[in-house]
Every structure is written in structure tokens, then in C-alpha cells.
Amino acid sequence: MYTCVCFYLPDHRRSALSFFTMGSSCSNHLGIPPGNGPNAVGCTDFMMDHTAEGTFFRLYYPCQEMESAGKPDWVPYKEYFNGLADFMKMNRALSERIFNYLFGSFKIPAYLDAPFKSNEKCPVIIFSHGLGAFRTLYSAICAEMASQGFIVASVEHRDQSASATYYFCEKPESERSNEWMYYRALQHGESEFPLRNKQVKQRADECILALDKLTEINSGISVQNVLETHFDWSTLKNSMDLCRIAVMGHSFGGATVIEALCKEVKFKCGVALDSWMTPLDDEIFPRVKQPIFFINSEKFQWAGNISRMKKLDSAVIQRKMITIRGTVHQSFPDFTFLTGNWIGKLMKLKGEIDPELAIDLCNKATLAFLQRHLGLEKNFNQWDPLINGEDENLIPGTNVNLLQSAI
């Protein structure tokens, strides 16, 4: 009955998309909000090797401010539009034109390959995207964390849960080409749990692999980046505080947070945004020993999903939950900032709340939680009340009535 999607399209999606294009003229006034912290933000990409098993992530970090540096396209290649079309069960040729028209001009709010700069060691966040998403679609959250002094690796998963991703086969330079992997839909009659459970395990392993690679980079080991970027990875030597590492994700990425906490104790805490709990085995819940913060939307959650979150309640380990009023499942990815109001609501990319206010509440609550559980010496504790849902736009716990069936 319920599925975890980064993008939701109702049955009337084709007619809705005609309205979608009509409203794009307001895109001049739209854009992904930049970070609010004291640091300028840089970003670069890292691909580990020439196989589908290696890690691939977008790195966000504090940087030297460089107006001369470009800002990367929000969607890097047209193949991602094709993947989104497959995920939404739309015609590729039509949707590529529509998506490119609507979103092709938007940029990530970060300087591409800008030199790293920080006056102190940076805590680390590994971020996991939702079903049908990819590494660049949560740049508002990742850029905010980097502006506040974190190094953030936004993993692009290769378990066929991303709408699209790619790797390079090992060939001579002149023959090298992208090998694309697209979203794998459920087959007719296929049960969802076995596939999603296998995927969430792989996703957690990919998050851990990204952390392992950052650990090597931090120690000064020379790493091969298959991608030809201009970023000097050696400048990250001794840049990270590897005693202060968190894992964070949205939707399927929220389930990935739980799985990764179970598998890797180096993650000191987790932040799960509107988590989709279906992929997880019940037996892992008692094995998770770290603090978890569930930040939910008002419109996505249901009793069965919340009841699984509640299985992680503990008398001795802090497990917190808040709900942001007026939000929908898509209030966390960047799409919510890139459509006009009525179109965004029609496509369920926006809720009733202003999207920048919603993401600001989410980010501030996250920062307060991370300060508390990573032992940071920052001023993020000014937002401690948000952890308890103390704001007119927050609900402590959940808005879902758990007296209804938990199935």
C-alpha cells in the first residue's frame, strides 16, 4: 500500500505535467537556498574505481570563497532525467525535454572544486538519498551542513534504487565511457521486502565504504579518483574529526541510517528524515546502540511505519521524533524549492508551509542534535528546543494516530 519514493506522481501525472511546464516561467525567482553558516561551501565528486562496487559520492566542505569558481549544474547529465522518467513510468524523450526545460538551468549552491579551508577539524556526515533520487538532489541540506563546518559525503547508491548512476569501465583513456545503471522497478507479482532488504544492506555498506575512503584521505593516503576533477584531495589530510561522525538520510535513506548504525559503531548518531522503515529487518532494532533523531513530514507517515520507528525507543539511548507541520515527503529534497507554489502543490513537491522555513527548522534541529551527540563546541544548542518539537511549526513526536492498525 505504501511505497518510499523520492518523487510521487499521481495517476493523472501526464496532464499534470502539461500544467507543470506552463508554470515554469516563475523559475527566475526560484533556486536552492545557500548555506547559512559562516563558511563558504565547496563541492566535488569522488569515484573510487572502475567497478560498480566502488563508492561514488558528492563531497560538500568548507572552502575558500571564490567568485571565479563555477557552481555545478544541479542535474549533471541528461541520463539522470531519463532515470527519473523510468522511475515515474514516463516517456523518456518527452520527460527529458520537460525536466531540462524546468530544471536544467539550476545550480548547486556550492563552488565546484574550490580549495578546502577550515580553521579546525571538521566533523563528518555521510548522507543517503531516497528511492529514485541521486547524489545531488539534497544540496540544500548538505550545503547547510558544510557551511556550518561539516564535511558531508552524499553517496550515490548503486543498488538500483537511484533513478540513475554510472561508473567507468577500465579502458584506455580515449575509449572510456560511462556505464549507466538505472532504477530497477518491482517486477509484476514480485514481493517488495526481499528486494528492498537486500538494497538497504548494500546501501549501508556503501555508506561505510565512503567513510572508509574519507578515513584514508584524512590519513594522507594518496587515493585515485576516477573522475577528472581539479580538487586537490591531499588538502584534506588531517581535516576531519573522525571521532565525530554521523549518518543522515531521507526516506529509503532514513532506513539506510538505521542499517548503517547497526553495522558501524563509528557512526555516533543518526538523523532519519521521513524514514521509510519497510526495508528493515525487525531483528536489527535492538542491536542499534546509537542516538537517533526522526524528523518526519506531516503528510507521508502512517501508523505501521511509525510503529516500527517506535520499536527503536529506549530508556537509556536518546531516540527523538518530531514532525514538521504542513510538510510533505518532498519537503526534504531540493525539488521543493524549484517549482512555483500551485504547481509544487499539484505535484506534491510542496506542502502548506514555506519550503525554506521547513528546511530551516529541519537543519537547525539536526545541528542541535548533532552538537549534543557528537560533543561539538558550537552554538547549535541554541536550537535545542526544536529537538523536543518546541515551535509553532513543529509537533512533538507524531501526528499519526497509533490506535489505528499498525499494519
Side-chain angles (χ1 to χ4, degrees):
M1 179 179 178
Y2 294 93
T3 55
C4 164
V5 292
C6 179
F7 310 103
Y8 168 79
L9 277 181
D11 293 338
H12 55 280
R13 57 181 171 259
R14 299 188 198 287
S15 60
L17 276 167
S18 65
F19 290 113
F20 207 47
T21 54
M22 287 167 57
S24 65
S25 59
C26 62
S27 63
N28 303 341
H29 313 293
L30 302 171
I32 301 164
N36 294 309
N39 300 288
V41 177
C43 70
T44 191
D45 284 327
F46 181 86
M47 187 180 290
M48 182 173 142
D49 57 26
H50 293 89
T51 73
E53 287 72 46
T55 189
F56 181 24
F57 55 80
R58 165 70 50 94
L59 195 76
Y60 297 83
Y61 54 88
C63 77
Q64 295 179 27
E65 188 150 9
M66 295 185 66
E67 293 300 334
S68 60
K71 294 187 175 179
D73 289 339
W74 181 54
V75 177
Y77 296 106
K78 68 179 178 61
E79 284 83 356
Y80 287 105
F81 290 140
N82 291 336
L84 289 172
D86 293 350
F87 181 72
M88 297 179 180
K89 301 179 180 177
M90 293 166 54
N91 175 274
R92 276 190 176 188
L94 172 64
S95 59
E96 183 189 328
R97 288 197 297 271
I98 293 170
F99 288 143
N100 192 54
Y101 177 66
L102 287 169
F103 304 120
S105 63
F106 288 114
K107 303 290 184 181
I108 297 279
Y111 298 106
L112 182 64
D113 294 334
F116 171 77
K117 180 186 177 184
S118 179
N119 297 325
E120 57 189 357
K121 287 193 174 187
C122 301
V124 174
I125 297 171
I126 307 295
F127 192 94
S128 173
H129 64 70
L131 193 69
F134 41 93
R135 73 189 186 284
T136 66
L137 295 192
Y138 297 84
S139 64
I141 293 172
C142 294
E144 172 63 16
M145 297 298 125
S147 80
Q148 300 287 358
F150 290 82
I151 287 175
V152 184
S154 180
V155 175
E156 188 159 289
H157 291 296
R158 288 166 160 181
D159 60 334
Q160 295 184 289
S161 68
S163 58
T165 188
Y166 66 97
Y167 64 98
F168 289 107
C169 288
E170 194 153 20
K171 297 178 181 177
E173 197 69 30
S174 59
E175 300 175 24
R176 197 171 75 160
S177 63
N178 303 26
E179 297 291 329
W180 284 90
M181 302 165 61
Y182 290 101
Y183 173 75
R184 177 199 175 309
L186 284 173
Q187 305 304 309
H188 180 70
E190 181 181 10
S191 175
E192 185 159 44
F193 177 77
L195 172 63
R196 302 308 182 204
N197 183 248
K198 180 182 176 184
Q199 287 176 323
V200 79
K201 287 176 164 60
Q202 179 177 335
R203 286 165 141 261
D205 289 341
E206 289 171 346
C207 289
I208 294 164
L209 189 56
L211 177 58
D212 290 344
K213 194 52 60 174
L214 289 182
T215 302
E216 287 182 22
I217 292 166
N218 189 65
S219 69
I221 295 172
S222 179
V223 294
Q224 180 195 12
N225 184 12
V226 173
L227 303 174
E228 296 173 353
T229 69
H230 298 289
F231 183 71
D232 182 358
W233 290 89
S234 69
T235 61
L236 292 179
K237 182 178 180 180
N238 295 323
S239 65
M240 300 172 221
D241 187 342
L242 295 178
C243 294
R244 294 179 167 88
I245 304 167
V247 60
M248 185 175 183
H250 171 243
S251 197
F252 203 172
T256 307
V257 165
I258 311 302
E259 187 76 31
L261 289 171
C262 180
K263 287 188 166 189
E264 180 53 79
V265 296
K266 290 176 186 174
F267 293 123
K268 302 302 183 188
C269 63
V271 179
L273 307 175
D274 226 14
S275 183
W276 179 50
M277 302 294 286
T278 300
L280 296 167
D281 286 308
D282 278 4
E283 59 93 16
I284 76 161
F285 295 153
R287 291 162 44 201
V288 180
K289 305 301 183 186
Q290 304 96 314
I292 303 168
F293 192 13
F294 292 104
I295 303 179
N296 293 336
S297 73
E298 189 173 8
K299 300 298 184 185
F300 175 71
Q301 293 298 334
W302 66 100
N305 207 51
I306 295 291
S307 70
R308 302 200 80 212
M309 294 180 194
K310 292 285 189 181
K311 289 181 180 179
L312 285 151
D313 283 353
S314 169
V316 293
I317 305 164
Q318 187 161 75
R319 303 282 161 76
K320 304 296 288 187
M321 183 188 297
I322 60 172
T323 300
I324 306 175
R325 293 185 190 276
T327 49
V328 295
H329 197 49
Q330 303 310 321
S331 294
F332 300 94
D334 295 335
F335 273 96
T336 193
F337 307 110
L338 305 182
T339 55
N341 194 44
W342 64 273
I343 295 170
K345 288 179 179 175
L346 177 72
M347 304 303 293
K348 305 202 178 207
L349 299 174
K350 288 183 189 288
E352 295 301 320
I353 191 173
D354 176 83
E356 292 200 28
L357 173 57
I359 212 70
D360 189 55
L361 285 166
C362 175
N363 287 335
K364 285 175 176 174
T366 296
L367 289 165
F369 187 82
L370 294 178
Q371 171 153 329
R372 179 180 293 184
H373 295 290
L374 298 181
L376 305 177
E377 295 181 2
K378 301 280 189 179
N379 65 347
F380 306 152
N381 57 343
Q382 66 181 299
W383 301 309
D384 275 355
L386 301 181
I387 298 174
N388 297 318
E390 295 173 17
D391 184 273
E392 63 182 1
N393 290 299
L394 298 178
I395 300 166
T398 181
N399 61 306
V400 175
N401 179 5
L402 293 180
L403 296 178
Q404 41 184 301
S405 169
I407 302 300

